[in-house]
PDB file of all heavy atoms in Angstrom:
ATOM      1  N   ILE A 111      -7.839 -15.961 -20.305  1.00  0.00           N
ATOM      2  CA  ILE A 111      -8.310 -17.152 -21.018  1.00  0.00           C
ATOM      3  C   ILE A 111      -7.522 -17.376 -22.306  1.00  0.00           C
ATOM      4  O   ILE A 111      -7.430 -18.516 -22.794  1.00  0.00           O
ATOM      5  CB  ILE A 111      -9.817 -17.024 -21.347  1.00  0.00           C
ATOM      6  CG1 ILE A 111     -10.617 -16.766 -20.075  1.00  0.00           C
ATOM      7  CG2 ILE A 111     -10.340 -18.285 -22.033  1.00  0.00           C
ATOM      8  CD1 ILE A 111     -12.076 -16.383 -20.336  1.00  0.00           C
ATOM      9  N   GLY A 114      -5.271 -20.489 -23.087  1.00  0.00           N
ATOM     10  CA  GLY A 114      -5.926 -21.793 -23.178  1.00  0.00           C
ATOM     11  C   GLY A 114      -7.170 -21.831 -22.328  1.00  0.00           C
ATOM     12  O   GLY A 114      -7.372 -20.988 -21.447  1.00  0.00           O
ATOM     13  N   PRO A 115      -8.054 -22.817 -22.566  1.00  0.00           N
ATOM     14  CA  PRO A 115      -9.318 -22.918 -21.822  1.00  0.00           C
ATOM     15  C   PRO A 115      -9.096 -23.056 -20.320  1.00  0.00           C
ATOM     16  O   PRO A 115      -8.124 -23.663 -19.872  1.00  0.00           O
ATOM     17  CB  PRO A 115      -9.973 -24.185 -22.400  1.00  0.00           C
ATOM     18  CG  PRO A 115      -9.338 -24.361 -23.737  1.00  0.00           C
ATOM     19  CD  PRO A 115      -7.931 -23.879 -23.587  1.00  0.00           C
ATOM     20  N   LEU A 116     -10.023 -22.475 -19.546  1.00  0.00           N
ATOM     21  CA  LEU A 116      -9.981 -22.533 -18.086  1.00  0.00           C
ATOM     22  C   LEU A 116     -11.357 -22.893 -17.553  1.00  0.00           C
ATOM     23  O   LEU A 116     -12.371 -22.569 -18.187  1.00  0.00           O
ATOM     24  CB  LEU A 116      -9.562 -21.182 -17.496  1.00  0.00           C
ATOM     25  CG  LEU A 116      -8.173 -20.641 -17.830  1.00  0.00           C
ATOM     26  CD1 LEU A 116      -8.045 -19.215 -17.297  1.00  0.00           C
ATOM     27  CD2 LEU A 116      -7.094 -21.529 -17.245  1.00  0.00           C
ATOM     28  N   VAL A 140     -19.565 -14.425 -23.510  1.00  0.00           N
ATOM     29  CA  VAL A 140     -20.264 -15.352 -24.402  1.00  0.00           C
ATOM     30  C   VAL A 140     -21.316 -14.599 -25.213  1.00  0.00           C
ATOM     31  O   VAL A 140     -21.478 -14.810 -26.423  1.00  0.00           O
ATOM     32  CB  VAL A 140     -20.905 -16.493 -23.583  1.00  0.00           C
ATOM     33  CG1 VAL A 140     -21.832 -17.335 -24.478  1.00  0.00           C
ATOM     34  CG2 VAL A 140     -19.833 -17.372 -22.956  1.00  0.00           C
ATOM     35  N   LEU A 144     -17.304 -13.486 -27.770  1.00  0.00           N
ATOM     36  CA  LEU A 144     -15.857 -13.500 -27.554  1.00  0.00           C
ATOM     37  C   LEU A 144     -15.387 -14.775 -26.840  1.00  0.00           C
ATOM     38  O   LEU A 144     -14.184 -15.060 -26.824  1.00  0.00           O
ATOM     39  CB  LEU A 144     -15.441 -12.277 -26.737  1.00  0.00           C
ATOM     40  CG  LEU A 144     -15.813 -10.916 -27.351  1.00  0.00           C
ATOM     41  CD1 LEU A 144     -15.449  -9.798 -26.383  1.00  0.00           C
ATOM     42  CD2 LEU A 144     -15.117 -10.723 -28.684  1.00  0.00           C
ATOM     43  N   ALA A 145     -16.317 -15.519 -26.251  1.00  0.00           N
ATOM     44  CA  ALA A 145     -15.960 -16.741 -25.526  1.00  0.00           C
ATOM     45  C   ALA A 145     -17.078 -17.748 -25.684  1.00  0.00           C
ATOM     46  O   ALA A 145     -18.203 -17.422 -26.095  1.00  0.00           O
ATOM     47  CB  ALA A 145     -15.714 -16.444 -24.049  1.00  0.00           C
ATOM     48  N   GLU A 146     -16.756 -18.998 -25.345  1.00  0.00           N
ATOM     49  CA  GLU A 146     -17.752 -20.060 -25.393  1.00  0.00           C
ATOM     50  C   GLU A 146     -17.475 -21.066 -24.291  1.00  0.00           C
ATOM     51  O   GLU A 146     -16.337 -21.204 -23.832  1.00  0.00           O
ATOM     52  CB  GLU A 146     -17.739 -20.747 -26.759  1.00  0.00           C
ATOM     53  CG  GLU A 146     -16.407 -21.362 -27.138  1.00  0.00           C
ATOM     54  CD  GLU A 146     -16.419 -21.925 -28.540  1.00  0.00           C
ATOM     55  OE1 GLU A 146     -17.487 -21.927 -29.186  1.00  0.00           O
ATOM     56  OE2 GLU A 146     -15.347 -22.371 -29.005  1.00  0.00           O
ATOM     57  N   ARG A 147     -18.518 -21.771 -23.866  1.00  0.00           N
ATOM     58  CA  ARG A 147     -18.394 -22.791 -22.838  1.00  0.00           C
ATOM     59  C   ARG A 147     -18.303 -24.171 -23.485  1.00  0.00           C
ATOM     60  O   ARG A 147     -19.014 -24.460 -24.451  1.00  0.00           O
ATOM     61  CB  ARG A 147     -19.577 -22.747 -21.878  1.00  0.00           C
ATOM     62  CG  ARG A 147     -19.584 -21.563 -20.919  1.00  0.00           C
ATOM     63  CD  ARG A 147     -20.740 -21.713 -19.935  1.00  0.00           C
ATOM     64  NE  ARG A 147     -20.702 -20.718 -18.877  1.00  0.00           N
ATOM     65  CZ  ARG A 147     -21.280 -19.533 -18.954  1.00  0.00           C
ATOM     66  NH1 ARG A 147     -21.910 -19.175 -20.067  1.00  0.00           N
ATOM     67  NH2 ARG A 147     -21.214 -18.674 -17.945  1.00  0.00           N
ATOM     68  N   LEU A 148     -17.442 -24.993 -22.906  1.00  0.00           N
ATOM     69  CA  LEU A 148     -17.259 -26.351 -23.378  1.00  0.00           C
ATOM     70  C   LEU A 148     -17.399 -27.317 -22.218  1.00  0.00           C
ATOM     71  O   LEU A 148     -17.104 -26.965 -21.073  1.00  0.00           O
ATOM     72  CB  LEU A 148     -15.879 -26.533 -24.027  1.00  0.00           C
ATOM     73  CG  LEU A 148     -15.505 -25.609 -25.193  1.00  0.00           C
ATOM     74  CD1 LEU A 148     -14.041 -25.815 -25.544  1.00  0.00           C
ATOM     75  CD2 LEU A 148     -16.385 -25.885 -26.402  1.00  0.00           C
ATOM     76  N   LEU A 158     -15.590 -25.685 -19.260  1.00  0.00           N
ATOM     77  CA  LEU A 158     -14.407 -24.920 -19.632  1.00  0.00           C
ATOM     78  C   LEU A 158     -14.842 -23.685 -20.402  1.00  0.00           C
ATOM     79  O   LEU A 158     -15.862 -23.698 -21.102  1.00  0.00           O
ATOM     80  CB  LEU A 158     -13.473 -25.760 -20.507  1.00  0.00           C
ATOM     81  CG  LEU A 158     -12.712 -26.898 -19.835  1.00  0.00           C
ATOM     82  CD1 LEU A 158     -11.961 -27.718 -20.886  1.00  0.00           C
ATOM     83  CD2 LEU A 158     -11.730 -26.351 -18.801  1.00  0.00           C
ATOM     84  N   VAL A 159     -14.055 -22.640 -20.286  1.00  0.00           N
ATOM     85  CA  VAL A 159     -14.300 -21.410 -21.038  1.00  0.00           C
ATOM     86  C   VAL A 159     -13.101 -21.173 -21.952  1.00  0.00           C
ATOM     87  O   VAL A 159     -11.953 -21.200 -21.501  1.00  0.00           O
ATOM     88  CB  VAL A 159     -14.480 -20.197 -20.099  1.00  0.00           C
ATOM     89  CG1 VAL A 159     -14.781 -18.944 -20.904  1.00  0.00           C
ATOM     90  CG2 VAL A 159     -15.572 -20.457 -19.083  1.00  0.00           C
ATOM     91  N   ARG A 160     -13.365 -20.976 -23.218  1.00  0.00           N
ATOM     92  CA  ARG A 160     -12.285 -20.668 -24.151  1.00  0.00           C
ATOM     93  C   ARG A 160     -12.726 -19.526 -25.058  1.00  0.00           C
ATOM     94  O   ARG A 160     -13.928 -19.254 -25.217  1.00  0.00           O
ATOM     95  CB  ARG A 160     -11.911 -21.889 -24.985  1.00  0.00           C
ATOM     96  CG  ARG A 160     -12.899 -22.254 -26.080  1.00  0.00           C
ATOM     97  CD  ARG A 160     -12.406 -23.415 -26.913  1.00  0.00           C
ATOM     98  NE  ARG A 160     -13.379 -23.763 -27.957  1.00  0.00           N
ATOM     99  CZ  ARG A 160     -13.243 -24.825 -28.757  1.00  0.00           C
ATOM    100  NH1 ARG A 160     -12.204 -25.644 -28.607  1.00  0.00           N
ATOM    101  NH2 ARG A 160     -14.161 -25.073 -29.686  1.00  0.00           N
ATOM    102  N   LEU A 161     -11.753 -18.861 -25.647  1.00  0.00           N
ATOM    103  CA  LEU A 161     -12.055 -17.723 -26.509  1.00  0.00           C
ATOM    104  C   LEU A 161     -12.403 -18.186 -27.920  1.00  0.00           C
ATOM    105  O   LEU A 161     -11.880 -19.186 -28.414  1.00  0.00           O
ATOM    106  CB  LEU A 161     -10.854 -16.768 -26.572  1.00  0.00           C
ATOM    107  CG  LEU A 161     -10.414 -16.100 -25.268  1.00  0.00           C
ATOM    108  CD1 LEU A 161      -9.338 -15.057 -25.560  1.00  0.00           C
ATOM    109  CD2 LEU A 161     -11.587 -15.474 -24.516  1.00  0.00           C
ATOM    110  N   THR A 162     -13.274 -17.413 -28.532  1.00  0.00           N
ATOM    111  CA  THR A 162     -13.548 -17.605 -29.952  1.00  0.00           C
ATOM    112  C   THR A 162     -12.472 -16.867 -30.749  1.00  0.00           C
ATOM    113  O   THR A 162     -11.583 -16.211 -30.178  1.00  0.00           O
ATOM    114  CB  THR A 162     -14.926 -17.046 -30.303  1.00  0.00           C
ATOM    115  OG1 THR A 162     -14.924 -15.623 -30.033  1.00  0.00           O
ATOM    116  CG2 THR A 162     -16.014 -17.705 -29.470  1.00  0.00           C
ATOM    117  N   HIS A 166      -9.951 -13.953 -29.336  1.00  0.00           N
ATOM    118  CA  HIS A 166      -8.487 -13.887 -29.449  1.00  0.00           C
ATOM    119  C   HIS A 166      -8.052 -12.572 -30.097  1.00  0.00           C
ATOM    120  O   HIS A 166      -7.046 -11.974 -29.684  1.00  0.00           O
ATOM    121  CB  HIS A 166      -7.970 -15.070 -30.268  1.00  0.00           C
ATOM    122  CG  HIS A 166      -7.841 -16.338 -29.489  1.00  0.00           C
ATOM    123  ND1 HIS A 166      -6.862 -16.517 -28.527  1.00  0.00           N
ATOM    124  CD2 HIS A 166      -8.573 -17.485 -29.514  1.00  0.00           C
ATOM    125  CE1 HIS A 166      -6.988 -17.719 -27.998  1.00  0.00           C
ATOM    126  NE2 HIS A 166      -8.021 -18.333 -28.576  1.00  0.00           N
TER     127      HIS A 166
END
Side-chain angles (χ1 to χ4, degrees):
I111 304 170
L116 297 172
V140 171
L144 302 175
E146 59 185 355
R147 287 185 172 89
L148 304 172
L158 288 174
V159 182
R160 74 176 179 186
L161 297 187
T162 62
H166 279 289

